[in-house]
Amino acid sequence: MVDKRREVEELRQEIGKLDVTLRTTLERRARLSRKIGELGKTAGIALPSGAEMDRWMEGATGDMPAAAMREIFREILATCLSLERPVVVAFSGAEGCFVHAAARSRFGVLAEYTSCETIAATLEEVARDRAGYAVVPFETRTDGLSQATIMALASSDLKIVLSFETVENLQLASKADSMAEIDKVYAMAKDRAHSARYLAKALSSAQLLDVATPMLACQLAAADPRAAALAHESIAVEQGLHVLDRNVRDDGEERVRYAVIGTRPSTRSGNDLTAIVFAVNDSPGALHDVLRQFAERGINLTKIQSRPTQGATWQYLFFIEVQGHATDRPIVGALEELRRHARYFKVLGSYSV
């Protein structure tokens, strides 16, 4: 028994040394990022893609779970990105909402964030050069493509430069030590509705109080040891709360894809998708003529969807997502033909996955 205790103590001492090494390495990483920022003030920032993350994970032994390793790297990269070049990021929704949390996962806590009421207003911040990037919902497992995002992009010169996926759920967070201590819960009305059954069962006697934003819910809960908040975990932790109960959304987690919008098209990553919207002439085979351009060139369509156009009766705008970058030779050829066959088309952007 004594030998085991000694071995555990030796292992903890070794871990302590490694922790110091980790801190030193992170500080050196931060210094290099600041130097990059000083040397490249006129250059755009390089957003890390999913493909790059996969390359960084190559050679991992698996001793650290892959999902945890990705989250750690993502936070390091986001923070160092904001050290390279401070950036203003617009997002659609309330302060502390899921979109806000998603934006922070890519741009770090040091970036400046601007909350906007609508997706169109979010893109306008970038178009007017009041923000460097916008982060908006692109697709959800429940509702599919965000039509508000597609239509706002279709009437804009901005481009999708990155797409990333998150798994979202609500957490019950507080400064209290147990659920029994909670006598009130702060939440946005929408979040409270998503957790109505849970709240009725787990906190039936607690007072439910509506607030304007998840950030405010966390701030109020942080000031009251008998209060809790419904929020994204990263927002709650920032306000000094800890999670009392996880994944309290009645319908379970939601899988969401977000789009990062910028003014300049992205460069090739080697693992890209390209989004295109178009409208066809009202004639037999018109849609077939368009889609044939991609099939004949061996371009894989990963998604196609249509919706009525605004201001026209029963005319449709088609959205397609294809594998490859807009500068790839086969896609360039297909777009040249698309110009001939469609009465309208627009490339919304190419982005790594």
Side-chain angles (χ1 to χ4, degrees):
M1 183 66 71
V2 174
D3 289 342
K4 286 186 178 180
R5 285 203 196 97
R6 184 181 297 115
E7 185 178 359
V8 169
E9 183 59 32
E10 290 173 353
L11 291 172
R12 292 197 184 282
Q13 289 177 7
E14 186 175 349
I15 287 174
K17 293 176 183 178
L18 287 173
D19 288 343
V20 173
T21 301
L22 281 172
R23 186 201 66 202
T24 303
T25 302
L26 288 173
E27 289 175 338
R28 183 167 182 265
R29 174 72 163 84
R31 287 196 296 272
L32 293 175
S33 293
R34 290 183 190 277
K35 188 171 183 179
I36 289 173
E38 292 168 0
L39 295 173
K41 290 184 182 297
T42 59
I45 61 177
L47 299 177
S49 67
E52 288 174 310
M53 181 69 76
D54 290 337
R55 287 195 291 272
W56 292 325
M57 291 292 293
E58 289 178 2
T61 63
D63 292 320
M64 171 75 76
M69 182 80 81
R70 283 176 175 273
E71 286 303 313
I72 292 168
F73 267 116
R74 186 171 290 121
E75 186 62 36
I76 293 170
L77 292 169
T79 301
C80 289
L81 183 69
S82 60
L83 291 173
E84 285 185 23
R85 182 181 173 188
V87 63
V88 178
V89 181
F91 65 92
S92 57
E95 189 178 17
C97 68
F98 285 130
V99 191
H100 188 189
R104 297 200 324 173
S105 75
R106 281 303 181 276
F107 292 94
V109 296
L110 300 181
E112 181 181 340
Y113 293 94
T114 301
S115 169
C116 302
E117 290 188 4
T118 66
I119 289 172
T122 309
L123 267 58
E124 187 72 9
E125 291 295 301
V126 179
R128 293 184 178 275
D129 202 29
R130 292 193 289 255
Y133 294 94
V135 177
V136 294
F138 193 23
E139 184 177 21
T140 69
R141 182 182 59 183
T142 303
D143 300 323
L145 285 169
S146 168
Q147 297 302 329
T149 296
I150 301 303
M151 298 312 294
L153 282 168
S155 59
S156 168
D157 292 329
L158 302 177
K159 299 293 183 184
I160 304 173
V161 298
L162 181 68
S163 174
F164 64 95
E165 185 179 291
T166 66
V167 176
E168 298 174 349
N169 212 318
L170 288 167
Q171 323 299 337
L172 183 77
S174 175
K175 285 197 168 181
D177 293 325
S178 68
M179 300 275 287
E181 299 175 46
I182 303 302
D183 60 17
K184 61 177 72 70
V185 178
Y186 294 103
M188 281 188 68
K190 180 177 67 173
D191 292 340
R192 182 163 60 85
H194 280 308
S195 302
R197 293 197 303 273
Y198 167 83
L199 292 170
K201 182 178 180 180
L203 292 165
S204 57
S205 60
Q207 184 181 10
L208 306 180
L209 300 169
D210 288 343
V211 293
T213 71
M215 184 69 79
L216 179 57
C218 291
Q219 290 169 346
L220 291 170
D224 185 346
R226 296 188 64 81
L230 290 179
H232 189 281
E233 184 170 358
S234 67
I235 304 299
V237 169
E238 181 186 283
Q239 298 302 316
L241 306 179
H242 62 267
V243 175
L244 277 180
D245 207 357
R246 294 184 179 278
N247 304 335
V248 301
R249 204 169 172 270
D250 292 337
D251 294 330
E253 66 185 24
E254 175 68 286
R255 193 171 295 275
V256 181
R257 191 157 62 127
Y258 288 100
V260 178
I261 313 298
T263 56
R264 299 179 180 178
S266 67
T267 57
R268 294 183 195 177
S269 73
N271 186 26
D272 301 294
L273 294 174
T274 296
I276 304 162
V277 290
F278 65 91
V280 298
N281 297 308
D282 187 13
S283 60
L287 179 59
H288 175 267
D289 287 340
V290 168
L291 299 181
R292 179 168 55 86
Q293 307 308 318
F294 297 95
E296 290 179 348
R297 291 168 174 81
I299 302 168
N300 184 36
L301 269 68
T302 61
K303 192 179 301 294
I304 180 168
Q305 186 171 313
S306 65
R307 62 158 291 131
T309 58
Q310 297 176 340
T313 303
W314 303 120
Q315 294 186 13
Y316 288 84
L317 186 71
F318 292 90
F319 170 92
I320 60 173
E321 193 174 57
V322 302
Q323 285 185 329
H325 194 275
T327 60
D328 292 346
R329 187 180 297 276
I331 294 182
V332 170
L335 293 177
E336 289 176 352
E337 288 299 315
L338 185 57
R339 194 185 305 275
R340 294 179 53 235
H341 289 278
R343 61 183 177 85
Y344 163 82
F345 90 95
K346 186 180 184 68
V347 177
L348 301 184
S350 295
Y351 36 91
S352 61
V353 293

